[in-house]
Amino acid sequence: MLVGVPTEIKNRETRVALTAQGARELVDAGHDVVVQAGAGAGSMIPDDDYLAAGARIGTVDEAWGAELVLKVKEPVPEEYGRLGNQTLFTFLHLAANRPLADALVAAGTTALSYDTVQLENGSLPLLAPMSAVAGRLAALAGGYHLLSSHGGPGILMGGIAGVPRAATVVIGAGVAGTNAVELLSAMGAEVTVLDLSEPRLRQIEARGLPGVTTVLSTPEALDRVVVEADLVVGAVLVPGHQAPKVVSHSQVARMRAGSVLVDIAIDQGGCFEDSHATTHDDPVYIVERSVFYCVANMPGAVGATATAALTHVTLPYVLALAGGVDAALAADAALAAGLNVTGGRVVHPVMIEAFPDLA
């Protein structure tokens, strides 16, 4: 099969869907790989590395014209015209993106999303590494924007002898939330983590992380800790669905001046009432007296790390798809769960619920 890897064009998206080593494995399996010129530059992978792996360097038309197209982020409107009857494998976050759903259906694309590939135990193996990266970046971005030079109140995350540490809150104890908790704890902050799942909270509690308190999430508990926080990280995920809104405008209005809110769930529509997607070029905006950081492709800030981590988990599925899409879907229920659109209609249960007229 011909596998194409276009350059990502979303703002400051430095990731690429395939490393040179991944390309080599596809070539060794008998497939042809075409990588758009410069696609790996943001991840420090020069074209020569792909050539050495047996891939060829081509144009954007050649990469998009492949039978199987690998991307990192969802197609943006400028790319809708390139959609056709190819198979597309990428992060779609489709439930929060009606225009993209319309475009995929109209084009007859077979579209699989990394974020809905789901194992029997409910875990999301292709989302997990990017969630881990985003969780750690949320802690870094939060600490950065707490600095007075970047609009914050001038609070050092770990404080110093005789001075309190930053009060931080993480909503959601999944992969992203847990990674945010780990780094916030390591930075010396006081961390309160909330989740609806007592077993998840027990797992965090058992690790004995310094400064971490676990709280079973209720509206009253969430309200109490959010309005007193210097930093709130929203890491709420309902697989495939739009994220629920867990922090209201009225709560933000009661927060401290200069407090920071980082919304990791922004790809799924955001988990704060006031969230809207931002870019790495213009990452923050002010609501009431608080700073909102809602960058929709946070891992793009660490392309070299994120690309390697993503290819590591996606490559077995890519190899299976390259061997025949129908056979791969029939053989692997987890991969089949990744199918969002095919035959001119949405087919994933969550997408049918979101867009019943497209089913």
Side-chain angles (χ1 to χ4, degrees), residues 70-138:
L70 307 179
K71 277 180 48 60
V72 177
K73 293 302 294 179
E74 74 283 353
V76 296
E78 300 94 303
E79 295 172 308
Y80 289 177
R82 298 190 179 280
L83 297 172
N85 63 359
Q86 72 270 75
T87 296
L88 173 66
F89 198 23
T90 188
F91 282 116
L92 290 173
H93 304 293
L94 199 58
N97 195 339
R98 174 64 192 239
L100 177 57
D102 287 336
L104 290 167
V105 166
T109 305
T110 295
L112 296 99
S113 187
Y114 299 148
D115 60 298
T116 61
V117 172
Q118 191 165 19
L119 300 176
E120 281 189 20
N121 63 7
S123 64
L124 305 171
L126 307 190
L127 182 61
M130 296 303 95
S131 294
V133 170
R136 296 183 183 198
L137 286 174

Side-chain angles (χ1 to χ4, degrees), residues 160-178:
I160 199 167
V163 181
R165 305 172 182 185
T168 69
V169 172
V170 178
I171 307 171
V175 175
T178 298

Side-chain angles (χ1 to χ4, degrees), residues 27-306:
V27 170
D28 287 347
H31 304 293
D32 295 322
V33 179
V34 57
V35 178
Q36 184 180 343
S43 296
M44 307 302 290
I45 308 173
D47 290 347
D48 285 348
D49 285 8
Y50 288 111
L51 289 170
R56 60 187 174 88
I57 301 301
T59 65
V60 60
D61 291 335
E62 290 174 310
W64 271 101
E67 299 163 87
L68 173 61
V69 175
L70 307 179
K71 277 180 48 60
V72 177
K73 293 302 294 179
E74 74 283 353
V76 296
E78 300 94 303
E79 295 172 308
Y80 289 177
R82 298 190 179 280
L83 297 172
N85 63 359
Q86 72 270 75
T87 296
L88 173 66
F89 198 23
T90 188
F91 282 116
L92 290 173
H93 304 293
L94 199 58
N97 195 339
R98 174 64 192 239
L100 177 57
D102 287 336
L104 290 167
V105 166
T109 305
T110 295
L112 296 99
S113 187
Y114 299 148
D115 60 298
T116 61
V117 172
Q118 191 165 19
L119 300 176
E120 281 189 20
N121 63 7
S123 64
L124 305 171
L126 307 190
L127 182 61
M130 296 303 95
S131 294
V133 170
R136 296 183 183 198
L137 286 174
L140 294 175
Y144 182 81
H145 288 285
L146 282 174
L147 302 178
S148 56
S149 55
H150 293 92
I155 293 176
L156 184 63
M157 193 72 79
I160 199 167
V163 181
R165 305 172 182 185
T168 69
V169 172
V170 178
I171 307 171
V175 175
T178 298
N179 275 270
V181 168
E182 289 176 347
L183 192 50
L184 288 168
S185 171
M187 294 167 73
E190 294 292 340
V191 189
T192 301
V193 54
L194 300 98
D195 199 280
L196 295 171
S197 169
E198 189 174 344
R200 283 184 180 178
L201 295 177
R202 283 201 300 268
Q203 288 175 354
I204 291 178
E205 192 80 29
R207 300 178 64 178
L209 297 169
V212 174
T213 301
T214 60
V215 176
L216 196 64
S217 187
T218 66
E220 295 78 14
L222 189 145
D223 181 79
R224 182 179 67 252
V225 298
V226 163
V227 298
E228 294 297 323
D230 299 307
L231 167 65
V232 177
V233 175
V236 179
L237 174 68
V238 181
H241 290 266
Q242 288 201 52
K245 306 298 182 185
V246 296
V247 175
S248 68
H249 178 85
S250 63
Q251 288 169 324
V252 172
R254 291 157 51 212
M255 292 180 71
R256 299 168 181 165
S259 56
V260 177
L261 296 96
V262 179
D263 195 341
I264 299 176
I266 193 62
D267 277 319
Q268 296 294 112
C271 61
F272 307 144
E273 182 181 353
D274 294 299
S275 291
H276 65 256
T278 60
T279 67
H280 287 291
D281 281 346
D282 189 15
V284 300
Y285 57 93
I286 306 298
V287 175
E288 298 290 346
R289 303 172 299 167
S290 296
V291 179
F292 275 65
Y293 180 98
C294 302
V295 174
N297 58 329
M298 289 175 65
V302 288
T305 295

